[in-house]
Each structure stands twice: as structure tokens, then as C-alpha cells.
Amino acid sequence: MAAKALLKTFMRPRDADAIRADIAAIDAAEAARAQAAVEAAARRQELVIEGDVAALEAHDGRVRRLGMESEVATAKRARLVEELETARAADEQARRRALYEKGLRASRAAAKLRTEDYARLAAQIAAVLEQIESHREAIRTANAALPDGAAPVFDPEAAMHEPPRPPVPIKSRRRTFRDGPNGVVEEVWQEHEFTLDHGHNGVPRPALAEAVMLPGTSYRAVPFWPQLAK
């Protein structure tokens, strides 16, 4: 079991950050080799002039090794770039998988809220609205046949109607300019009067029973409110 776990650790794909670090190390080493190659070219000319064949041979050996190291590094870098693309794709799939799992949990939670919490609360609200409508019917019946001298029974739904606000007269001064004598522009202040309309003209608002809509928990389910005729 320990051997299998160790093998899985070595076979596990590396993450993108680790691969980028390896690519950066290769690039840094390649930059150093490039600089060394420039210096080696200048040094070789000196060795030729000096006539030291052994030193020239050793120098050329080091230059060839630099070339081989660069060739190996280029191939390794190409493999790392491919590995990086694979790691990026795996990271993207992991990100999408996490979002997908989150969506699945949200779907289950929403379904539970809809079929349990919403259904319970909607049924309670529908019962309240039914009672309000029953009371309103009693109020309408009483107001339709008031005893002599009795004031109309107050309908609480009247609180939904906003009383009108009267317009407010406003005076203001406006600065304008006009051509004066001799082509001189003059500043003129003019007084204006206008009426500020709040836009509230006592428009009735719908009663609660008319404004509220509580659909069922599915497309074909009977709505909680408004209730269908019995």
C-alpha cells in the first residue's frame, strides 16, 4: 500500500505554477549560456593568436558542450510547454467541476426551498389573504346597509390608497443676457412662477388580495393565490 501511494504521488500531474518555475529556470540558464557563448567567441580569437592548440582544443570542447546543453534545454522546454498546456486544461476543468458541483448543491437547495419552505409560507399567506377578503366582504355588506346615523365601517385596505398632495407654487429668478445699447451685453434677472407637482394624485393602489400572486411549486400546480373558483 505504501509503495502504491508513493507511485501515485510521482504520477500525479504537477500544477501549472511548478511547471512555470521549471521553464523560468531553463530560460535563466539559457540566458547564461548565451552570454558564455559570446565571451567564448572572443576568447577563441585570443587563443588562435596565442597559438596554444591544447588550450584551443579544450576551449572548443567547452563551446560544443554549451551547444549540446542548449539543444537539450530547448527540447526539455518544449516538453514543459506541452505539459503546461495540459496542466492549464486540467486546472480549467477542475475550476469548472467545482462550479458544477456548487451548481448541483444550489439546485438541490433551491428545490428544497421551493417545495418545502415556499410551499409552507405561501399556504400561510394564502390563508391570511382569504381571511382578509372574508372580512372585507363583511365590511362591504355592512356599508351597503348602514343603520341610521352610523358611520361607514373602515376598510383597512383603504390604507393602500395614497392621499393626493396639492401642487406647490414656486417662485424663482433666472439670469439671462441680452444685447444692450452700443452693442454691450447686459445681465438681466427675470422672475418666474411655476407649480411643483409631486406626481401623486391619489391613485388607488391594488388591495393585497389583488396585488399578491403566489404560484404553485410547478408549472401545472394549482396556485396558492389567487385561489381558483370553488
Side-chain angles (χ1 to χ4, degrees), residues 13-14 84-97:
R14 295 189 300 157
L84 179 60
E85 291 302 319
T86 301
R88 284 173 176 168
D91 290 345
E92 176 62 17
Q93 288 302 312
R95 184 186 72 85
R96 295 187 181 191
R97 173 58 60 179

Side-chain angles (χ1 to χ4, degrees), residues 11 20 51 53 80 84 93 103 131 134 154 161 195 200 209 214-215:
M11 294 179 63
R20 290 192 191 95
V53 175
L80 286 174
L84 179 60
Q93 288 302 312
Q131 293 179 51
S134 176
F154 173 70
H161 299 176
T195 302
H200 299 287
L214 300 172

Side-chain angles (χ1 to χ4, degrees), residues 139 141-153:
I139 293 171
T141 301
N143 285 334
L146 289 172
D148 292 342
V153 179

Side-chain angles (χ1 to χ4, degrees), residues 52-71:
D52 190 339
V53 175
L56 183 60
E57 185 178 14
H59 173 274
D60 287 348
R62 289 191 296 272
V63 171
R64 284 193 299 272
R65 183 176 180 83
L66 285 174
M68 289 185 288
E69 288 176 354
S70 180
E71 186 177 359

Side-chain angles (χ1 to χ4, degrees), residues 140-196:
R140 285 191 291 267
T141 301
N143 285 334
L146 289 172
D148 292 342
V153 179
F154 173 70
D155 184 355
E157 288 289 348
M160 297 293 291
H161 299 176
E162 186 175 2
R165 298 184 188 180
V168 179
I170 301 292
K171 290 185 177 181
S172 69
R173 299 182 68 202
R174 182 181 302 171
R175 186 176 65 171
T176 61
F177 298 91
R178 68 183 180 187
D179 293 333
N182 302 322
V184 178
V185 177
E186 293 182 340
E187 181 182 37
V188 180
W189 287 89
Q190 296 178 347
E191 291 191 356
H192 294 267
E193 292 187 6
F194 63 95
T195 302
L196 177 62

